[in-house]
Amino acid sequence: MTLLEVENLTVTYPGGAAAVRGVDLSLAAGRKLGVAGESGCGKSTLALALLRLLPAGTRTGGRVLLDGEDVLTMRWGRLRAVRWAGASIVFQGAMHSLNPVHRVGDQIAEPVLLHRRETPAGARRRAGELLEQVGLPAARASAYPHQLSGGQRQRVMIAMALACAPRLIVADEPTTALDVMVQAQILRLIERLVAEQDLGLIMISHDLAVLADTCDRLAVMYAGRVVEEGPARAVYEDARHPYARALSAAFPRIGDPASRFAPRGLPGDPPDPSAVPPGCAFHPRCPVALERCGTDDQPLRRAAPDRRAACVHVDAAATAPAEDRGNPGSAS
């Protein structure tokens, strides 16, 4: 059964910046969806929109169905119940999200007290259980955030997200500031919790390699839209959209000296959300853009079995040999 269904989601900030422009996504319980893209592509706005955490004055459209209920039209009382108990979010930068003057155990216990109507003793007991669940001793509940390492603070954030046994976890760059060893530990922890508790996970990151290693499916966003979506490993290793291909190529590959000493990047930046160019928004930076890409918007279309991409070259590239896909212009 589908846990989350996002249908034609749009988000426009005050002033006219269209940060999310017609996103469609779906997620089943026990599955992991990665959302990738550069800064400014709308990933974090998408995460906030799923739980209606956007600033006042922001306009939204479309539907966000969580277990069949539209989050965007819920009354405040119902939305308050859904947050934490139905879905919760792990923000990037745990030190900025945790209150520095409160012990971490009290911060984990707070949503339990508010949403599960536990006694103070029961909430403290639950906080200890959650800390142990994420690999920390229950005794660390008495610590303040500054007394914990970065990886330990991130584990506390995950424990808080799990406090009210939600069905959906949204993790926004959960390992950004961590070293690679701790990052690997946090990612394995998240994978284990999803499997054991049959959660749905949306993980947001700029790092395609991390998402390909952790998630079942991957959606690549550019200028507020999904430009490619499919099985995570397939998108990472054989991207069909030029932007997704550029993101993947920006990371050196183990065992590939060429990518190690000369990693490829992509010049320029994503467009300002208030001034998205006409046609395909990626065409000013695209190495294989055609003249019509500047005027004709490109919808998501079938790129391969169980894969979609929003590129004019997709139809030809889908039938080309794998060795020719690195230059979609040759197939046009």
Side-chain angles (χ1 to χ4, degrees), residues 110-126:
E110 183 177 7
V112 179
L113 285 167
L114 291 175
H115 293 277
R116 300 188 72 176
R117 306 297 184 186
E118 272 281 4
T119 63
R124 287 193 298 271
R125 185 166 54 252
R126 172 69 174 157

Side-chain angles (χ1 to χ4, degrees), residues 3-140:
L3 171 63
L4 177 73
E5 191 79 35
V6 179
E7 300 176 354
N8 194 31
L9 177 65
T10 61
V11 177
T12 305
Y13 286 116
V20 175
R21 304 182 303 130
V23 167
D24 295 296
L25 294 171
S26 63
L27 179 69
R31 308 298 287 177
K32 305 179 291 288
L33 172 67
V35 180
E38 296 169 280
S39 296
C41 285
K43 308 184 304 297
S44 293
T45 295
L46 172 64
L48 295 174
L50 297 180
L51 288 176
R52 238 168 79 190
L53 294 170
L54 295 162
T58 304
R59 300 194 309 274
T60 58
R63 299 201 300 172
V64 177
L65 302 177
L66 181 62
D67 278 329
E69 290 187 85
D70 190 355
V71 174
L72 300 183
T73 59
M74 284 179 181
R75 297 175 66 89
W76 170 245
R78 177 58 183 155
L79 178 64
R80 187 173 182 271
V82 165
R83 290 175 181 168
W84 293 98
S88 59
I89 187 166
V90 179
F91 293 104
Q92 58 178 309
M95 197 61 185
H96 302 295
S97 300
L98 295 171
N99 191 322
V101 299
H102 289 289
R103 301 180 191 274
V104 296
D106 294 336
Q107 297 184 61
I108 297 171
E110 183 177 7
V112 179
L113 285 167
L114 291 175
H115 293 277
R116 300 188 72 176
R117 306 297 184 186
E118 272 281 4
T119 63
R124 287 193 298 271
R125 185 166 54 252
R126 172 69 174 157
E129 293 170 353
L130 287 163
L131 286 172
E132 291 181 344
Q133 197 171 359
V134 299
L136 290 176
R140 299 303 280 161

Side-chain angles (χ1 to χ4, degrees), residues 237-258:
E237 294 179 349
D238 183 25
R240 302 299 173 84
H241 192 282
Y243 177 65
R245 188 178 302 116
L247 277 185
S248 179
F251 295 92
R253 307 293 178 91
I254 295 175
D256 181 1

